[in-house]
Amino acid sequence: MSERLWTEVDRYVDEHLIGPDPVLESALQDSDAAGLPAIAVTAAQGKMLHLLARIHGARRVLEIGTLGGYSTIWLGRALPPDGRIITLELDPGYARVASANIERAGLGELVDVVVGPAADSLRTIVADGAEPFDLVFIDADKKSTPEYFGIALGLTRPGSVIVVDNVVRDGALIDEGTTDEGVIGMRAFHDLLARDRAVSATTIQTVGGKGYDGFTLVLVAEPARPDADG
Ligand code: SAH
Ligand code: DHB
Ligand code: MG
């Protein structure tokens, strides 16, 4: 089984379940033209985020790691007219590309692109006493995932959902001796989850056009269920 086959299957899924989408395709093209790395979620993954937001009835979304706004657009399209996304991006140039892509998607009114180190932006959001977020998507520098998760938890309510991207990294997640800072971050994140009785989580491995990786799905502060949470 090869990455080529995974990519072909992603193409099949795109053709059958997603279809042509000029706004999203332009977002990727303009991101590429501006020199942004090709590390956005795949269409299939973007649609999964979109469906999760709809299933959950999310109104307020927090995204950490905007890049060119590809996942932001998928999430934004899931929200009601009075919905809101705050998306955090370190790189001002990336944020400009994202803002243009988000504007073209007709989501300019819904989305706030906040430029700067996410940890600082998160602390500002906490200090401002922001309303809790229904859904959080953590997809920035992988080493800081435990820190982002900790702060984001304080910005949620019981029943909120947190999705964390790129947690498996070709299986490196289980490498105890890893020196990769990102993998160390994802292992620390799993240690946090294992200790935290106020969240319920699972990690799903994925293959596709972006290789072998995975995401973690977290439900915040539901009553502990010993049968499901060990
Ligand atoms: N969610 C996007 C992909 C994000 S890629 C999508 O799927 O479409 C990760 C992004 O995190 C990059 O744009 C990178 O610039 C940003 N990033 C890296 N370190 C950061 C930090 N400390 N604070 C905020 N953003 C950061
Ligand atoms: C990287 C970041 C991502 O968000 C992703 O989906 C893939 C790769 C990276 O920094 O390498
Ligand atoms: Mg990612």
Side-chain angles (χ1 to χ4, degrees):
M1 280 218 296
S2 66
E3 183 144 356
R4 191 142 110 217
L5 180 58
W6 306 339
T7 303
E8 285 303 316
V9 173
D10 256 353
R11 211 187 316 279
Y12 177 94
V13 172
D14 286 0
E15 277 170 18
H16 286 77
L17 307 181
I18 297 173
D21 194 318
V23 164
L24 285 170
E25 284 153 25
S26 302
L28 290 181
Q29 271 163 24
D30 287 8
S31 298
D32 193 49
L36 276 59
I39 54 175
V41 293
T42 62
Q45 291 165 344
K47 186 154 183 191
M48 189 203 71
L49 291 171
H50 169 91
L51 291 173
L52 260 181
R54 283 173 59 190
I55 291 164
H56 193 45
R59 191 176 65 81
R60 287 175 54 78
V61 173
L62 173 64
E63 178 178 65
I64 307 175
T66 315
L67 192 65
Y70 183 80
S71 54
T72 319
I73 294 170
W74 272 114
L75 286 164
R77 287 173 170 178
L79 303 191
D82 68 338
R84 183 122 215 99
I85 301 189
I86 299 180
T87 182
L88 313 182
E89 174 54 50
L90 176 65
D91 187 300
Y94 293 6
R96 267 194 300 279
V97 173
S99 295
N101 287 334
I102 290 161
E103 195 64 45
R104 180 171 42 208
L107 296 168
E109 297 285 296
L110 235 72
V111 180
D112 238 338
V113 182
V114 178
V115 180
D120 294 351
S121 304
L122 285 168
R123 282 188 278 266
T124 302
I125 294 167
V126 171
D128 287 349
E131 250 184 82
F133 293 91
D134 308 305
L135 189 146
V136 181
F137 180 45
I138 302 180
D139 190 23
D141 52 316
K142 309 309 166 191
K143 69 171 185 318
S144 304
T145 298
E147 182 183 14
Y148 299 154
F149 178 74
I151 307 176
L153 257 187
L155 287 165
T156 58
R157 56 170 173 79
S160 292
V161 168
I162 302 177
V163 180
V164 179
D165 198 23
N166 310 117
V167 299
V168 175
R169 292 300 191 156
D170 288 308
L173 179 63
I174 62 167
D175 181 358
E176 293 172 11
T178 185
T179 55
D180 180 315
E181 284 194 317
V183 175
I184 292 170
M186 291 311 182
R187 290 176 57 81
F189 168 56
H190 278 78
D191 290 338
L192 273 181
L193 290 175
R195 286 197 305 267
D196 192 338
R197 309 313 297 165
V199 301
S200 184
T202 189
T203 291
I204 297 297
Q205 305 180 69
T206 58
V207 294
K210 297 278 160 80
Y212 167 36
D213 212 324
F215 64 90
T216 299
L217 181 64
V218 184
L219 177 63
V220 178
E222 288 294 291
R225 293 168 193 244
D227 53 328
D229 296 331

